[in-house]
Amino acid sequence: MFSIGKAPPPSKPYPLQRYDPIAARAYFDQRLPLVIKRGLQIASTSLGFALSILQDFANNEIDKNSDQRAVELSTLLTKLGPTFIKIGQSLSIRTDLLSPAYVRGLQTL
C-alpha cells in the first residue's frame, strides 16, 4: 500500500546493491505469505532429518548411524538451496564442532 510521504516498497531486497535492513524489511513485509511458505518448506524438509537424529539418540545409535546421517544432511542442505549449501561448506572445515563422519559428508557439497 502506498502512503503519503513514504516511498513505495522496493522491488528487490537490496535496491542499492548493498545491505540495507530498512529496504530488506520493507521488501519482505510486502511478501509475508512467501516468507511464511519458505519457512514452512524449510521446517518440513528438515523435520524428517531431525526425527532421524532423535531416534538415533533414543536408541543410542548416534555413532553407528553417523555416516548415513552425514550423507542425509548433505542431501538435505542441497535440497534447501544455495544458502544452506554454503552453510554446509562452511561447517565442513569445522572439525572442532562436528564429528569426522559429518565433516566427510559435508565435504561433498
Side-chain angles (χ1 to χ4, degrees):
M1 286 262 141
F2 294 104
S3 298
I4 296 176
K6 290 187 177 181
S11 60
K12 299 186 296 187
Y14 305 110
L16 301 177
Q17 301 300 320
R18 65 180 188 325
Y19 179 70
D20 179 358
I22 296 169
R25 176 155 190 149
Y27 176 84
F28 289 110
D29 279 351
Q30 294 297 314
R31 290 156 181 83
L32 189 58
L34 291 176
V35 172
I36 291 171
K37 179 182 174 186
R38 179 63 175 153
L40 290 173
Q41 179 187 29
I42 291 167
S44 66
T45 304
S46 303
L47 183 61
F49 179 74
L51 291 175
S52 297
I53 294 290
L54 186 61
Q55 182 179 10
D56 288 349
F57 181 76
N59 295 331
N60 201 26
E61 296 179 339
I62 294 283
D63 292 330
K64 176 183 170 190
N65 293 333
S66 62
D67 286 319
Q68 177 185 348
R69 298 295 175 236
V71 171
E72 291 173 3
L73 178 60
S74 179
T75 302
L76 171 67
L77 295 176
T78 302
K79 284 181 185 177
L80 290 175
T83 301
F84 290 90
I85 292 171
K86 184 54 73 178
I87 292 168
Q89 289 170 337
S90 298
L91 286 173
S92 73
I93 62 170
R94 294 302 306 266
T95 56
D96 59 323
L97 296 177
L98 299 175
S99 71
Y102 281 92
V103 170
R104 285 190 304 274
L106 291 175
Q107 285 176 344
T108 63
L109 294 175

